[in-house]
Amino acid sequence: MVVDRQNDTIHFLNNARHEFHALYIGTEILGIAETEMRARIDEFNQSFYHASDRRFFLGILSLHKREDRRMFSLETVEVDTMSADMIEFFHAEVRKNVDAAVPLFFKPANHLQEQEMAELPVERLPRILAHELFSTAEFVALNPGITKGRLRAFRSEQEYRENTLEWFDIVVMHRVPDDIPRLAGIINAGHTTPLSHTNVLATGWSIPNAIQIGAFDLIDRENLDGQWVEYEVSPRGAEVGLRLIDEPQDAGQRPAWYAQRVTLDEPEHTYNPILALGRIRYNDRHRYGTKAANLGELHHVLATESPRRLLGFFSVPRPPRDNLMPYLAKLLNKTEDDDLLAAAQQLLTERVRVPRGVALPFSMHQGFLESSPKIQQAIGKLKMALELNAREIEPLCVELQQLIRKTRVPDYLLSELDTALVENLAGVRTFVVRSSSNAEDLAGFSAAGIYESYNHVTTAEKIVESVKEVWASLVSARSVRLRQQAGISLDDCFMGVVVQEQVRADFGGVMVTTNPMNRNDFRNVYVNVSPNVTDVVEGSKQPMQYLYSTVEGGGRTVSLGDAKEDLGIKAHAQLQRLAIVGRLLQAHFSPDYTFDSPVDIEWLATDDVLYVLQLRPYSI
């Protein structure tokens, strides 16, 4: 809708025909050709969304239905900088033109509007926050798509554990466990975050995934449990689509994705030394694993004078804009004439840190395995079972993991590890031990959550135990099965390990440099925040969820998760910096020159410093 103050009129737009407010105003009210509007879009947007004496007020009116109740919400676009007086005027004008029997609430589109709105009494401006609506949303499309499969509804984790799942199953649960096998689809009957391990896996597997409150009632009503259905998730839908179908005749045949084999770079498992992270680069991933190589590359980015790729995302044409460099200048508090590359580098240098650490190479893992004839024999048995697709795979994996845990690490490897820790991490009291395999973060195989990492590790003995646990996770039954389905041979898989200083922080979480609920949104990044740092790694509580713009700037709270209140102004400012940093790093780590491939960043923060703990590609 558009309120025209000059003519005292209100326009309700058919947005199937008029997708953009600005083009409607230009062509239908001002009589300006669409080509001219597009060419001058930044100029018009400035007057429409930021001018204090603006003629037009632009918004979106939504009708919400909950059982027998109805309500309207009114919001602006996220970049609008309306003052409190403007917000009150806009709400009053719309109130006069909609059904008086239906309550109308103003929904702030960003944190700035929330602050402005706080000055107005609730009696004068009824309001509802985005996270309040999100927490009551009955349907959220997490990963759009359509598939056919057998519906399996489990009301408890115990019930889930007691059943065997097939690749063609569609699982419905209140909380889907992180260790799910590859499936045909997922329905979450409770609220979750798009960045949970299960949702990241669903994205990587390209399977439909959604939140559907009341899913069990729907399944019981239609008697769908155990039946074959067509399952559809559409971002434009009001609920998941479930349609009863006959069991396909080819249900027992291998799925189409089985033929899509994942290939690995040839690993190098001959001797390489344990090195400080700062001494390895991205191209060392075939020696130290993807995670270690990315952290090493990040050390290089922070230490190098202005790497050219940093500005890649903002340099790409976004029609009708030639590029986004003017927006980057504002985000960095610079002018277009300033050296933006130097300014971007300054932001990274002053604000971003990678915790100190060392990378253990594949050769150390290989040396350990070759030191034990019993381990070699167990590996041989497992390989034979995999070739025959035998039922004994799981117990063989368990046996091999136990051997790895019990086997003593050779003295020469222990000595090398001890020397590397003394030289690079002397004085550190608490460590993090992370997996860094060559069989993760691949196109078609993200491996999110299938390998182990350990926090709060203190003594030398505990470090060695944790390293062995990480090595053992490479042959867990789940990781072996998932790799087998992807066509990744056990012979080609090796595990590097990262040992880092565990840093102190005020809050932390995960960010992906895209909007997972709207893949066409090039402006926003999605941030999960855990106010308690321990929740970041434990996943024990639902995180806070935010969207932050890396074009016009500004953020909005999508969900408070299990938190009682939102973060403060300083924390919001730090999340905005994190968003900009994410875009810069997305560009540097881009595999091509579109710079559109998003990254997944695990981070911690104080009010002043951002710590990057992990960086990897995010599948879309």
Side-chain angles (χ1 to χ4, degrees):
M1 62 173 53
V2 174
V3 171
D4 183 349
R5 292 203 296 171
Q6 180 175 303
N7 295 333
D8 194 23
T9 56
I10 186 168
H11 300 247
F12 291 88
L13 281 58
N14 174 1
N15 86 292
R17 186 178 159 205
H18 301 287
E19 187 176 0
F20 300 106
H21 291 90
L23 295 183
Y24 174 86
I25 293 172
T27 57
E28 304 294 328
I29 301 178
L30 301 178
I32 300 174
E34 182 175 333
T35 53
E36 182 180 351
M37 286 295 300
R38 289 186 179 277
R40 299 169 57 195
I41 193 65
D42 287 336
E43 173 189 338
F44 284 111
N45 282 345
Q46 175 65 30
S47 65
F48 294 158
Y49 298 127
H50 304 300
S52 58
D53 59 347
R54 67 184 77 173
R55 171 181 171 180
F56 300 106
F57 285 66
L58 288 57
I60 303 159
L61 184 70
S62 303
L63 177 65
H64 306 269
K65 300 177 182 179
R66 294 288 183 274
E67 298 175 347
D68 60 342
R69 295 180 300 160
R70 298 190 304 163
M71 58 165 275
F72 286 121
S73 70
L74 173 66
E75 62 183 306
T76 70
V77 298
E78 63 197 50
V79 301
D80 202 305
T81 56
M82 281 189 186
S83 65
D85 291 342
M86 290 177 175
I87 292 172
E88 188 174 17
F89 168 82
F90 188 33
H91 179 270
E93 288 299 301
V94 176
R95 174 75 280 178
K96 292 187 295 186
N97 288 277
V98 297
D99 187 346
V102 180
L104 172 67
F105 296 88
F106 185 79
K107 175 188 168 189
N110 51 50
H111 292 141
L112 179 63
Q113 285 187 1
E114 288 183 21
Q115 295 168 26
E116 290 286 344
M117 199 177 61
E119 301 177 10
L120 299 173
V122 175
E123 297 77 18
R124 283 170 52 186
L125 183 72
R127 66 206 62 178
I128 189 165
L129 301 179
H131 67 79
E132 293 172 329
L133 280 176
F134 184 84
S135 64
T136 61
E138 295 183 352
F139 169 72
V140 179
L142 296 173
N143 198 49
I146 186 168
T147 191
K148 295 177 182 178
R150 181 179 61 178
L151 199 67
R152 306 293 302 277
F154 302 120
R155 286 170 169 79
S156 69
E157 185 168 344
Q158 179 180 350
E159 186 180 353
Y160 162 83
R161 300 290 177 195
E162 291 172 351
N163 285 269
T164 301
L165 295 176
E166 302 289 348
W167 65 265
F168 49 74
D169 283 329
I170 299 166
V171 167
V172 185
M173 294 184 70
H174 287 292
R175 185 190 180 281
V176 180
D178 288 344
D179 62 354
I180 56 169
R182 185 156 187 166
L183 301 165
I186 297 174
I187 300 177
N188 301 272
H191 279 283
T192 183
T193 164
L195 304 189
S196 70
H197 281 316
T198 54
N199 296 331
V200 172
L201 287 171
T203 302
W205 292 334
S206 298
I207 62 174
N209 183 24
I211 296 169
Q212 180 63 69
I213 306 301
F216 289 107
D217 294 336
L218 170 64
I219 291 166
D220 291 343
R221 188 168 61 248
E222 302 294 332
N223 193 29
L224 297 177
D225 190 15
Q227 302 295 321
W228 277 79
V229 299
E230 182 182 77
Y231 169 39
E232 181 176 9
V233 175
S234 170
R236 296 184 177 274
E239 61 181 5
V240 297
L242 289 174
R243 183 174 65 86
L244 193 64
I245 61 172
D246 294 329
E247 180 177 344
Q249 293 182 349
D250 60 352
Q253 297 181 10
R254 286 179 171 177
W257 51 259
Y258 194 87
Q260 300 168 0
R261 307 288 82 186
V262 175
T263 58
L264 284 72
D265 292 337
E266 184 176 356
E268 182 179 306
H269 53 81
T270 55
Y271 177 76
N272 283 289
I274 299 174
L275 291 179
L277 287 174
R279 293 181 59 192
I280 66 175
R281 297 288 301 277
Y282 177 74
N283 290 332
D284 289 314
R285 60 190 182 278
H286 64 294
R287 299 185 183 97
Y288 295 90
T290 307
K291 199 174 297 180
N294 284 350
L295 289 175
E297 181 71 16
L298 186 53
H299 269 283
H300 172 76
V301 172
L302 299 181
T304 301
E305 289 293 327
S306 304
R308 303 298 308 178
R309 292 175 65 87
L310 282 179
L311 304 189
F313 175 83
F314 296 94
S315 303
V316 173
R318 302 278 179 181
R321 302 168 181 85
D322 292 335
N323 55 63
L324 298 178
M325 299 299 280
Y327 294 92
L328 176 61
K330 290 182 180 179
L331 291 172
L332 296 174
N333 295 317
K334 301 293 182 180
T335 68
E336 293 181 53
D337 296 329
D338 289 328
D339 185 342
L340 298 185
L341 187 57
Q345 182 69 39
Q346 182 179 2
L347 171 65
L348 295 178
T349 302
E350 293 180 353
R351 295 287 187 172
V352 181
R353 302 285 185 274
V354 180
R356 292 182 297 157
V358 296
L360 280 56
F362 295 158
S363 60
M364 184 172 180
H365 177 217
Q366 183 69 6
F368 168 76
L369 297 179
E370 292 176 350
S371 72
S372 169
K374 288 184 179 180
I375 289 179
Q376 290 300 300
Q377 186 178 23
I379 291 173
K381 288 181 182 179
L382 178 57
K383 288 178 181 178
M384 181 66 71
L386 288 170
E387 288 180 11
L388 299 174
N389 197 25
R391 295 182 178 180
E392 295 81 6
I393 290 174
E394 184 166 342
L396 287 173
C397 287
V398 172
E399 178 188 351
L400 180 52
Q401 285 188 292
Q402 289 174 343
L403 279 172
I404 291 172
R405 294 184 184 109
K406 292 179 180 177
T407 299
R408 188 176 183 279
V409 178
D411 288 342
Y412 78 94
L413 293 178
L414 290 176
S415 177
E416 186 176 355
L417 175 59
D418 184 67
T419 299
L421 294 175
V422 169
E423 290 178 351
N424 296 282
L425 294 170
V428 174
R429 292 184 179 276
T430 310
F431 299 83
V432 178
V433 180
R434 301 178 181 278
S435 60
S436 181
S437 173
N438 65 326
E440 61 183 326
D441 302 333
L442 306 169
F445 191 74
S446 74
I450 73 169
Y451 303 128
E452 296 293 344
S453 293
Y454 294 89
N455 300 276
H456 312 299
V457 182
T458 52
T459 64
E461 181 181 355
K462 293 289 186 184
I463 291 174
V464 174
E465 288 178 3
S466 299
V467 168
K468 290 200 290 183
E469 288 288 352
V470 171
W471 285 339
S473 69
L474 188 69
V475 290
S476 70
R478 180 168 180 251
S479 67
V480 167
R481 280 294 192 191
L482 288 175
R483 291 196 305 268
Q484 183 188 33
Q485 291 171 350
I488 300 174
S489 169
L490 184 59
D491 283 330
D492 297 330
C493 299
F494 292 90
M495 181 63 78
V497 182
V498 175
V499 181
Q500 282 180 288
E501 174 185 14
Q502 184 166 318
V503 296
R504 293 183 179 181
D506 299 322
F507 55 103
V510 179
M511 170 180 64
V512 292
T513 56
T514 185
N515 180 353
M517 295 186 292
N518 180 4
R519 307 298 167 82
N520 295 321
D521 178 4
F522 68 86
R523 285 178 161 80
N524 291 295
V525 304
Y526 205 82
V527 185
N528 275 7
V529 178
S530 296
N532 295 318
V533 173
T534 55
D535 297 337
V536 176
V537 292
E538 293 174 359
S540 55
K541 294 183 179 180
Q542 286 293 326
M544 309 166 85
Q545 301 174 43
Y546 298 88
L547 281 168
Y548 274 86
S549 173
T550 56
V551 180
E552 293 87 357
R556 64 185 187 273
T557 306
V558 177
S559 171
L560 288 183
D562 291 331
K564 300 299 182 184
E565 59 183 9
D566 207 340
L567 297 173
I569 294 175
K570 283 187 176 181
H572 285 160
Q574 188 68 309
L575 293 181
Q576 179 69 75
R577 290 189 201 99
L578 175 69
I580 301 168
V581 166
R583 285 295 192 212
L584 298 173
L585 297 182
Q586 171 183 327
H588 182 83
F589 284 89
S590 175
D592 56 36
Y593 296 95
T594 67
F595 301 103
D596 273 342
S597 299
V599 291
D600 175 333
I601 296 175
E602 186 179 322
W603 56 273
L604 294 173
T606 65
D607 285 342
D608 300 313
V609 177
L610 295 164
Y611 294 99
V612 176
L613 309 180
Q614 178 176 305
L615 185 149
R616 61 186 177 190
Y618 179 72
S619 300
I620 58 173

